[in-house]
Structures are given as structure tokens and as C-alpha cells.
Amino acid sequence: MTTLTLVKKTSFTVVSLATTMLLSICTPVRAFMFGTGGIQFDRDTNINFTFDQSHSPYQSSLWVAQAELGNTGYTNIARLFNETKPSDNGSANNSEATFGNAVTSENGSITQTFTFLQDQIYALLLWSDTGTGRPFEQYVSSSTFMNSPKWFAAGTQFRRDECLVAGCQLAVFGDFSLDYNSSDSFTNINGGKSPEQYSLLTMAQLAQGTKISFDDAKRGTELDFKDFTVSAELVPAPAPAPAPAPAPAPVPEPVPEPVTVFATMLGLGALAAARRKNKRQPQPEK
């Protein structure tokens, strides 16, 4: 498995530096986030990712990437799904790729579980070729700020240069609609809601299960977010083991009632008196 690191350029223009500072000031540190600002949990958390659909002439793979200290780089640490060919049957069904045909995973399961560690920052990276067969030729990130010229993939020829310095949104999160047979815009298909309104998930949405879909930024095409879709669902934490049952308390000895004690004493007294009387009576001569 190839491991790649996406790194941040060390030189910035004045405008880029100002934008970065502004974003740092306006973006509070949060214990939980799952969306275009990044992925982070306040405790170790398991998420099930299930492959849904892929519709792109590019051959892609979806990875979990973990941030390095200072968010200066993100390293691929787990491949969730990968396409073994661009689609099932060429351009048929809008270049559809289905699981078990053109899409697979490391263990062959359509659902992959990943453990996000407490307080670590992550992103989902969709790597793809551009029709050349080179799998790491370009990427799009679930984190918007990484889709900007400030970031590049070491060892590849690809540079994200079509987005502004603050990045551009190339993933949507939540209960959105997609129409693979329509050329209408994402906003119109979703009743006037723009992609920005699908940029963040709540823990309740994750608990119920929700969708994440990417646009692989094909040049010259409108962002439609139809290129690679998965679902994400929180794995419930195991219920705590029941506490052991307390040991049974010892059964107390029954306490005799006063009447019983008194009767016993009278009986013993009578027996002693009878013995003394027998001793005083003369014994018959033999």
C-alpha cells in the first residue's frame, strides 16, 4: 500500500498569510467536528464507512489522512475503498462503478470501520488519476482549506491551483440529494440549498447514518458532487458490563422468644429438684 503525505507550502503571499490568520482567528477549536473544517472527536470513536456509488471516468481511492503536528501535513493512514478500474463498463450509466465489480476494499467488505483517535485531526482524501492510470495524480479533500494552492502532494506532479487561497468545497455532508441522470446544478436538485449548507455533521446525524459525496474536480465541469459517494455511521459504544451481584448477607440465627426461654428454665429447675428429692429418699435394704 502506498503512503503519501500532503504538505503545506512554507512560503506564502501576503494575501495568503492574512487569510490564514483570519481563518485561525474565526475558527474556534472544537472537541468534535465532522465536515469541511476537519474531522475530530473528543474520545476514541469508531465510524462505519459504506461504499455507495462512483460516477467518474477517473480511477479513484478514498483514504483517511491524519494531520501532523501543527497541521503542516496530512499522511494517508488507511485506505477505505479503491477502484480497480474507472467504471464497470466504460461510460455506461454515467461511468458507474459498483462494489465487487470496479470497486473493492482491503478486506473485500463494502463496509469499513475506522477508529478516530481522541483529539487527533483527520481528513478524507479522494485520490485519482486523470485518465492516465497513475493513482495519485490528483486529490480532493473533505477539508476545504486543503483544496488550495497552499497544499501539494509530495512526489506527484499535481498542484491544486484552480481554487482560491482559502480553498474550495469539494465534499458535501448530510441528507442531500443527487440525480445522476440530470445535468441540473447541485443547488437546484436540493431545492435551492447550496453546497455550503451541507458542510457539517452533528453527532445525531452520524448516529443515524448520513452521506458524504465528493466532486473530483474534473476541469471544465461544474461541481455536482456525484463522483464518489459513501455513507458514514457512528458505531455505538459497547454497553458497560453489569456490576457483579452483591454477596448474599448471612442469615441471622433465630433468637428464642422470652416465653420459650422462661419455659426452658422452669423445665431445667424442675429436673434439678427431682434429682435432689431422689437423693434424699432412703434406699431399700437388700
Side-chain angles (χ1 to χ4, degrees), residues 65-78:
Q66 183 174 343
E68 298 176 351
L69 187 64
N71 276 12
T72 56
Y74 280 75
T75 301
N76 292 338
I77 58 173

Side-chain angles (χ1 to χ4, degrees), residues 165-184:
V165 70
C168 56
Q169 184 178 349
L170 294 174
V172 285
F173 298 76
D175 188 20
F176 50 82
S177 297
L178 298 174
D179 187 346
Y180 297 100
N181 296 314
S182 173
S183 59
D184 207 352

Side-chain angles (χ1 to χ4, degrees), residues 3-104:
T3 299
L4 271 180
T5 299
L6 193 69
V7 297
K8 182 185 284 188
K9 296 178 181 177
T10 55
S11 60
F12 301 97
T13 63
V14 175
V15 174
S16 172
L17 181 59
T19 303
T20 302
M21 294 175 61
L22 180 62
L23 287 173
S24 299
I25 294 172
C26 296
T27 305
V29 176
R30 290 172 290 183
F32 163 74
M33 58 180 175
F34 201 110
T36 57
I39 298 174
Q40 185 179 25
F41 291 90
D42 58 4
R43 66 193 67 183
D44 291 0
T45 303
N46 292 328
I47 299 292
N48 281 341
F49 293 95
T50 302
F51 178 79
D52 184 12
Q53 298 185 60
S54 173
H55 291 268
S56 172
Y58 295 165
Q59 186 172 326
S60 303
S61 58
L62 182 63
W63 294 73
V64 177
Q66 183 174 343
E68 298 176 351
L69 187 64
N71 276 12
T72 56
Y74 280 75
T75 301
N76 292 338
I77 58 173
R79 185 170 64 181
L80 299 177
F81 306 104
N82 64 287
E83 293 181 327
T84 57
K85 54 184 179 180
S87 64
D88 291 351
N89 186 21
S91 60
N93 298 322
N94 298 304
S95 301
E96 181 181 25
T98 59
F99 196 87
N101 190 336
V103 184
T104 189

Side-chain angles (χ1 to χ4, degrees), residues 14-262:
V14 175
V15 174
S16 172
L17 181 59
T19 303
T20 302
M21 294 175 61
L22 180 62
L23 287 173
S24 299
I25 294 172
C26 296
T27 305
V29 176
R30 290 172 290 183
F32 163 74
M33 58 180 175
F34 201 110
T36 57
I39 298 174
Q40 185 179 25
F41 291 90
D42 58 4
R43 66 193 67 183
D44 291 0
T45 303
N46 292 328
I47 299 292
N48 281 341
F49 293 95
T50 302
F51 178 79
D52 184 12
Q53 298 185 60
S54 173
H55 291 268
S56 172
Y58 295 165
Q59 186 172 326
S60 303
S61 58
L62 182 63
W63 294 73
V64 177
Q66 183 174 343
E68 298 176 351
L69 187 64
N71 276 12
T72 56
Y74 280 75
T75 301
N76 292 338
I77 58 173
R79 185 170 64 181
L80 299 177
F81 306 104
N82 64 287
E83 293 181 327
T84 57
K85 54 184 179 180
S87 64
D88 291 351
N89 186 21
S91 60
N93 298 322
N94 298 304
S95 301
E96 181 181 25
T98 59
F99 196 87
N101 190 336
V103 184
T104 189
S105 63
E106 297 298 324
N107 61 4
S109 173
I110 196 172
T111 297
Q112 299 295 303
T113 303
F114 182 81
T115 301
F116 293 92
L117 301 180
Q118 177 181 347
D119 297 332
Q120 297 294 312
I121 300 175
Y122 300 87
L124 300 176
L125 298 183
L126 182 67
W127 290 91
S128 62
D129 64 6
T130 57
T132 63
R134 295 192 292 268
F136 292 99
E137 194 168 17
Q138 71 168 8
Y139 78 94
V140 295
S141 174
S142 62
S143 295
T144 295
F145 63 88
M146 295 170 67
N147 299 321
S148 79
K150 292 188 298 183
W151 294 81
F152 71 100
T156 74
Q157 300 301 312
F158 179 74
R159 302 292 183 270
R160 172 112 282 134
D161 57 5
E162 72 273 24
C163 295
L164 299 177
V165 70
C168 56
Q169 184 178 349
L170 294 174
V172 285
F173 298 76
D175 188 20
F176 50 82
S177 297
L178 298 174
D179 187 346
Y180 297 100
N181 296 314
S182 173
S183 59
D184 207 352
S185 68
F186 177 88
T187 300
N188 288 341
I189 290 173
N190 284 277
K193 293 182 178 181
S194 65
E196 290 79 8
Q197 293 175 270
Y198 298 95
S199 61
L200 185 66
L201 294 178
T202 65
M203 189 64 81
Q205 287 175 299
L206 277 175
Q208 294 173 358
T210 189
K211 291 186 298 185
I212 306 169
S213 196
F214 294 84
D215 193 293
D216 58 15
K218 294 185 294 293
R219 296 181 185 276
T221 61
E222 183 181 3
L223 299 180
D224 55 19
F225 301 96
K226 299 177 183 178
D227 296 323
F228 202 98
T229 306
V230 298
S231 66
E233 184 173 6
L234 178 69
V235 178
V251 179
E253 293 284 340
V255 179
E257 296 186 9
V259 173
T260 304
V261 174
F262 183 64

